[in-house]
Amino acid sequence: MSYRAPLNDIRFVLDHVVGFDRVAATDRFAEATPDTVDAILTEAARLSEDVLAPLNRPGDTQPATLENGVVRTAPGFAEGFRAIADGGWIGINADPEHGGMGLPFTLTAAVNEMMGSACLALQLNPLLTQGQIEALEAHASDDLKALYLPKLISGEWTGTMNLTEPQAGSDVGALRAKAEPNGDGTYAVSGQKIYISWGDADFIDNVCHLVLARLPDGAEGTKGISLFMVPKRLPRDDGSAGDPNALRVVSLEHKLGLHGSPTAVMEYDRATGWLVGEPHKGMAAMFTMMNNARVGVGVQGLSIAEAAMQHALRYALDRKQGKSHVPDGSILEHADVRRTILSMKARTFAVRAMCLDCAVSLDLGRAEGDAAMRARGAFLTPIAKAYGTDTGIGVAGDGIQIHGGMGFVEETGAAQFLRDVRVTAIYEGTNGIQAMDLVGRKLADGGDAAFALLDEVEQTDHDGLRAAAIELRTLTQWMLDQPMQDRLAGSVAYLAAFARVLAVHYHLRAAAADADRSRLARFAATCLLPEALAEMAKARAGAEELYALTTDELAAA
């Protein structure tokens, strides 16, 4: 499964669609010059194509295993990870004080796209570490930062996030893990956590777990949760990994996809941990990591969409079947195949622009302290996560369809894309939770961030898009006027509508900068604007019909 990094598209989106030059113009990110950006993207593309892509299939067919308490990783993953770490790719946007490059988060997103397309199971490892780095930078004590950040940034150690428990899935406040003071500034952390991606690996000196647990005086629910750093091995005085901590991998999950990524059940038995942030403020600290990861997971959806689209396009060009109006007779000349490929390309381009637009907003908010840009990035985050992963799943499914019967057998590799990407709509907050967040927290500003985005869209010279944006503005106000249950009932459709309106907006920006892109933009508008209007109608339905059938009646059906 050869992969070619879409460098031209990435550069074009940065330069002509999302205004990355505004980030490079700030004092904080002045080093992100065109030459630096080009060098980073070019080298990341080489690494992804030549080193990581060959690991994708072996990671699927020879997955991580647990042997006598030791996680054995897939063939070549150790060397692949070392190439990522040695290249400095984990700390692209980390603080230079601790060994990071200090470059914009936008470049991390662009690099992660390519690495995720090449081998998503391996790319998930540094993605989690990057999120942990950001959480520690924001919330940890100076001593913890000095000890952990250099090793996480260098890739000597890796990081995880431990939220979920068997009885507490998305309801994190129902966790039972506990932490008791040891009297020396450390805590004894006990409990079981599930679905811990990259909970262990045989090529890492130390795995650093950020664990949510409740102190003895912690209130019930999320307000009483604290966050702890609990390493696999206890650091020695010189900072090296020392004796094993009182934690273990109980088992590895048998998963639909991402087989190369070990997903662990972790058990902590009075393991030594250190408090990160303030007592009982653990969710706020963990949300720093989660919000970073949510954008990153949206990028993972983009990664698979790009890889699956490339894979399907190559097959369509090579496959000769049926009569067509060109001599070579490839199936790409059949109307339905061409429609599907165009749709795959249009949606993939839109998600790339959406994720990078979100990242640019977050960078500008960080660099300039711009509250409006921070709000813009926050509003785009659930849309990028949900639409990005839904698109990855949809494009991967279309890729199987392009292959026909050959897509349903594993030898072609088309099925792996769908199996690997399916979880992205679930982890880091299901896409339903993203939609609830959008109509709840993200509209808590009275719709200011939403209306500001729509102001941008309505300036685009396209009657159909302008009309859809005006209708979306009306729907946003309708949402603000409704009781929360009606908002929640229409939240998924509202997010889907907003995403499609933005998608067409990005395509038309691209067409304005390059006339050659106008044909794909026209196709995108033709397909996505009717979908947006349909989603808006669904969003207005309210909650009444959802609850018209009683629970007993639903169960009987």
Side-chain angles (χ1 to χ4, degrees):
M1 291 188 293
S2 59
Y3 161 72
R4 288 293 172 261
L7 283 175
N8 288 339
D9 269 1
I10 292 172
R11 290 173 177 134
F12 180 84
V13 170
L14 291 173
D15 293 342
H16 300 291
V17 180
V18 302
F20 179 73
D21 59 315
R22 295 173 295 163
V23 176
T26 65
D27 290 340
R28 178 165 181 168
F29 297 124
E31 293 186 12
T33 63
D35 287 346
T36 298
V37 170
D38 189 65
I40 285 174
L41 294 179
T42 300
E43 183 57 25
R46 185 204 63 76
L47 174 68
S48 299
E49 294 172 355
D50 298 344
V51 179
L52 303 184
L55 304 177
N56 195 48
R57 192 63 176 162
D60 186 57
T61 58
Q62 302 175 68
T65 58
L66 182 63
E67 298 177 1
N68 300 319
V70 177
V71 172
R72 304 297 183 190
T73 52
F77 272 39
E79 293 78 9
F81 177 80
R82 188 45 48 200
I84 294 171
D86 290 349
W89 300 111
I90 297 172
I92 298 175
N93 65 295
D95 192 334
E97 180 182 351
H98 300 291
M101 295 186 190
L103 291 169
F105 176 59
T106 304
L107 291 184
T108 298
V111 168
N112 283 350
E113 178 204 329
M114 293 184 276
M115 292 187 180
S117 291
C119 185
L120 190 66
L122 181 55
Q123 183 267 337
L124 181 55
N125 185 308
L127 175 68
L128 289 164
T129 301
Q130 289 164 349
Q132 187 174 110
I133 289 167
E134 185 162 334
L136 294 177
E137 286 180 343
H139 301 284
S141 67
D142 290 342
D143 287 345
L144 286 181
K145 289 179 184 177
L147 173 59
Y148 285 92
L149 286 175
K151 296 183 182 300
L152 291 167
I153 290 169
S154 69
E156 185 178 346
W157 296 355
T158 60
T160 74
M161 55 195 304
N162 284 234
L163 292 83
T164 308
E165 297 182 10
Q167 80 292 340
S170 298
D171 182 12
V172 179
L175 65 77
R176 295 174 184 162
K178 60 183 181 180
E180 299 173 329
N182 287 325
D184 60 358
T186 67
Y187 296 81
V189 178
S190 300
Q192 188 178 91
K193 300 288 183 177
I194 61 173
Y195 305 148
I196 310 306
S197 297
W198 282 99
D200 198 11
D202 54 2
F203 54 74
I204 295 297
D205 288 343
N206 208 358
V207 181
C208 307
H209 302 285
L210 280 183
V211 182
L212 287 176
R214 201 181 309 277
L215 290 166
D217 60 343
E220 292 299 313
T222 56
K223 293 183 179 179
I225 296 174
S226 301
L227 183 63
F228 301 88
M229 170 60 77
V230 188
K232 174 184 175 181
R233 306 184 76 88
L234 297 170
R236 298 188 180 98
D237 291 340
D238 64 1
S240 62
D243 294 334
N245 206 347
L247 59 87
R248 68 187 183 102
V249 177
V250 176
S251 62
L252 297 182
E253 303 291 359
H254 300 282
K255 301 177 296 184
L256 175 68
L258 285 183
H259 295 150
S261 165
T263 301
V265 176
M266 301 294 303
E267 183 175 81
Y268 299 86
D269 184 13
R270 297 188 61 80
T272 301
W274 287 261
L275 184 67
V276 176
E278 297 296 319
H280 319 309
K281 303 292 185 183
M283 282 305 297
M286 185 62 90
F287 262 113
T288 300
M289 183 173 185
M290 289 177 66
N291 284 328
N292 177 293
R294 284 174 174 175
V295 180
V297 172
V299 171
Q300 288 186 328
L302 163 63
S303 295
I304 294 299
E306 176 66 36
M309 184 271 294
Q310 288 189 19
H311 198 67
L313 179 57
R314 282 194 298 271
Y315 182 84
L317 288 167
D318 292 341
R319 176 67 167 161
K320 307 297 191 292
Q321 183 174 318
K323 296 179 179 179
S324 69
H325 61 276
V326 295
D328 70 1
S330 78
I331 64 170
L332 188 57
E333 297 306 322
H334 293 286
D336 184 59
V337 174
R338 180 162 286 243
R339 175 196 62 80
T340 303
I341 292 289
L342 275 172
S343 176
M344 295 166 78
K345 290 180 74 71
R347 287 179 287 163
T348 299
F349 178 88
V351 171
R352 178 175 294 114
M354 186 177 295
C355 290
L356 293 178
D357 190 17
C358 181
V360 163
S361 299
L362 294 171
D363 279 330
L364 289 173
R366 185 179 295 114
E368 300 180 335
D370 187 329
M373 275 297 166
R374 284 199 299 268
R376 189 180 189 277
F379 189 86
L380 283 170
T381 293
I383 302 177
K385 194 277 183 184
Y387 187 63
T389 56
D390 282 344
T391 296
I393 293 167
V395 170
D398 286 345
I400 291 176
Q401 194 72 16
I402 291 294
H403 283 75
M406 291 303 295
F408 201 67
V409 297
E410 292 291 349
E411 284 77 4
T412 61
Q416 184 186 343
F417 294 125
L418 183 57
R419 289 189 290 100
D420 284 354
V421 77
R422 184 60 186 84
V423 72
T424 61
I426 298 171
Y427 60 26
E428 302 310 332
T430 67
N431 286 0
I433 288 175
Q434 305 304 315
M436 293 166 66
D437 176 53
L438 184 66
V439 302
R441 290 187 183 92
K442 300 305 189 290
L443 288 183
D445 62 355
D448 289 349
F451 293 139
L453 267 172
L454 291 172
D455 287 342
E456 296 177 28
V457 174
E458 289 172 20
Q459 294 173 15
T460 304
D461 186 19
H462 186 279
D463 291 341
L465 177 62
R466 189 177 299 110
I470 292 171
E471 181 64 23
L472 185 54
R473 181 183 294 275
T474 302
L475 174 60
T476 301
Q477 186 60 57
W478 181 90
M479 281 280 178
L480 291 167
D481 295 339
Q482 301 309 303
M484 186 55 69
Q485 192 71 340
D486 285 333
R487 284 199 209 181
L488 296 178
S491 61
V492 170
Y494 177 75
L495 186 151
F498 220 119
R500 284 159 174 77
V501 167
L502 289 172
V504 176
H505 175 56
Y506 296 132
H507 270 286
L508 292 171
R509 274 189 178 179
D514 181 356
D516 287 343
R517 294 178 180 266
S518 61
R519 289 162 291 183
L520 186 60
R522 290 195 301 270
F523 176 84
T526 300
C527 294
L528 296 177
L529 288 179
E531 291 179 5
L533 294 172
E535 295 292 351
M536 289 185 220
K538 288 161 58 177
R540 290 178 178 272
E544 182 178 357
E545 296 304 325
L546 285 182
Y547 294 92
L549 286 174
T550 68
T551 301
D552 288 343
E553 288 170 330
L554 276 174

